[in-house]
Amino acid sequence: MEFVNISTPRYECLLFDLDDTLYPLSSGLSEACANNIIEFMVEKLGIDEDGVVELNQILYKKYGTSMAGLKAVGYEFDNDEYHRFVHGRLPYENLRSDPVLRNLLLTLPLRKLVFSNGDEVHVTKALKRLGIEDCFERIISFESLNPKVNETEVSIEDYLPEIPVICKPAEIAFEKAFDIAQLNPHTTLFFDDSIRNIQTGKAMGLHTVLVGKSEKVEGSDHALKSIHNMKEAFPELWSESNNKESKRIGYATQISIETSVHA
């Protein structure tokens, strides 16, 4: 679907990445995740240790995530097993309750959603450790983008996906997220630490905020060193006038023209 903006943008939804966005890179989870992926490739897929790090980097750069890359080049494995191995062994104890972030989120009078490539178990566990699991309307996770298909109810043609795994930064991942959440990208602020995700988000019509950097890059409308700086960067989101306006304008479908696009 395609959204055509016909009014001055007014934020009515905030879309947040999870990893290294709602908690800092210094937590060590990303480093541990990368190590677990390497171990999975060697132990479970039999990939030679000598070239595994380089291969992982190539797959990540080309396909957005290592998992998507492995599937795309022909490796077969169970998605749940991969997530248990890669995310199930992360040092979640490194994440601490974040009352500052919780207060920021709870006082925001707008829709708030999490949009992550991670599996639901990982996302939920991280949010609970941070103490913000009840601050969001919903989670858009790996399972949301890649629902399991009942093979007895679909044809072979329908079952075969164009790409094995849907994930950011692919445009289709954003399209699915927009559809799942029924949000209008033109009235949505998107927070992510990945430059590629930010650039795709911008191309899809989102207002973009690069997190973890103090300088903007191509595709980012704003940059925040920390997610804690939200209120300083966007004080209008907390204003009473914005609250009243957001109640008046309603959902994205009421302020945009939605048209179907057929290939």
Side-chain angles (χ1 to χ4, degrees):
M1 66 177 61
E2 178 180 297
F3 291 91
V4 180
N5 190 25
I6 60 171
S7 64
T8 302
R10 290 184 182 276
Y11 304 130
E12 63 174 11
C13 182
L14 304 182
L15 191 62
F16 295 92
D17 174 50
L18 169 66
D19 300 308
D20 303 331
T21 297
L22 291 177
Y23 63 82
L25 178 65
S26 59
S27 68
L29 263 68
S30 286
E31 182 179 0
C33 185
N35 292 335
N36 289 347
I37 291 171
I38 295 298
E39 289 184 26
F40 183 88
M41 292 170 70
V42 173
E43 295 180 19
K44 301 296 184 179
L45 302 181
I47 296 174
D48 187 75
E49 286 188 53
D50 292 337
V52 68
V53 173
E54 181 181 6
L55 174 60
N56 184 44
Q57 292 173 343
I58 292 171
L59 294 177
Y60 179 81
K61 288 179 181 178
K62 182 173 177 60
Y63 295 99
T65 68
S66 301
M67 182 186 194
L70 288 167
K71 293 272 188 175
V73 299
Y75 286 98
E76 296 183 2
F77 51 88
D78 181 74
N79 294 340
D80 293 336
E81 179 187 4
Y82 177 90
H83 287 135
R84 283 192 297 270
F85 193 99
V86 172
H87 290 149
R89 304 183 302 152
L90 293 177
Y92 290 103
E93 64 274 10
N94 291 358
L95 298 180
R96 298 285 185 264
S97 179
D98 192 339
V100 174
L101 178 57
R102 178 176 175 80
N103 182 64
L104 287 172
L105 293 170
L106 288 179
T107 55
L108 273 167
L110 306 171
R111 297 180 68 199
K112 296 172 288 287
L113 304 97
V114 174
F115 179 25
S116 172
N117 284 334
D119 60 286
E120 188 107 14
V121 171
H122 164 65
V123 176
T124 302
K125 188 177 292 186
L127 292 177
K128 285 183 177 179
R129 290 290 304 181
L130 294 168
I132 57 174
E133 72 276 12
D134 58 343
C135 295
F136 301 94
E137 177 183 315
R138 72 172 299 156
I139 295 169
I140 301 171
S141 64
F142 176 87
E143 289 87 350
S144 308
L145 301 175
N146 302 274
K148 291 184 178 180
V149 177
N150 186 339
E151 297 181 42
T152 62
E153 297 179 357
V154 296
S155 67
I156 294 177
E157 182 179 353
D158 290 335
Y159 178 70
L160 295 174
E162 293 183 7
I163 52 178
V165 173
I166 294 174
C167 63
K168 296 181 289 182
E171 289 188 359
I172 189 175
F174 286 83
E175 290 173 353
K176 291 195 72 170
F178 298 163
D179 185 58
I180 290 168
Q182 286 298 288
L183 63 83
N184 178 358
H186 299 293
T187 57
T188 299
L189 263 178
F190 173 52
F191 298 79
D192 203 303
D193 67 291
S194 166
I195 293 175
R196 290 184 301 171
N197 293 347
I198 285 292
Q199 290 174 337
T200 301
K202 181 64 177 177
M204 299 296 290
L206 291 163
H207 299 269
T208 56
V209 185
L210 180 64
V211 179
K213 302 288 191 298
S214 55
E215 298 291 332
K216 295 190 298 182
V217 299
E218 182 180 355
S220 66
D221 297 309
H222 310 274
L224 293 180
K225 187 65 177 176
S226 167
I227 197 67
H228 289 164
N229 301 133
M230 278 194 298
K231 196 164 187 177
E232 289 81 359
F234 306 102
E236 69 275 12
L237 299 182
W238 280 263
S239 68
E240 183 178 354
S241 61
N242 185 78
N243 188 16
K244 291 178 180 178
E245 183 65 16
S246 66
K247 289 178 181 178
R248 237 185 12 245
I249 61 177
Y251 288 111
T253 52
Q254 295 173 294
I255 61 170
S256 63
I257 299 173
E258 183 180 337
T259 58
S260 298
V261 178
H262 302 281

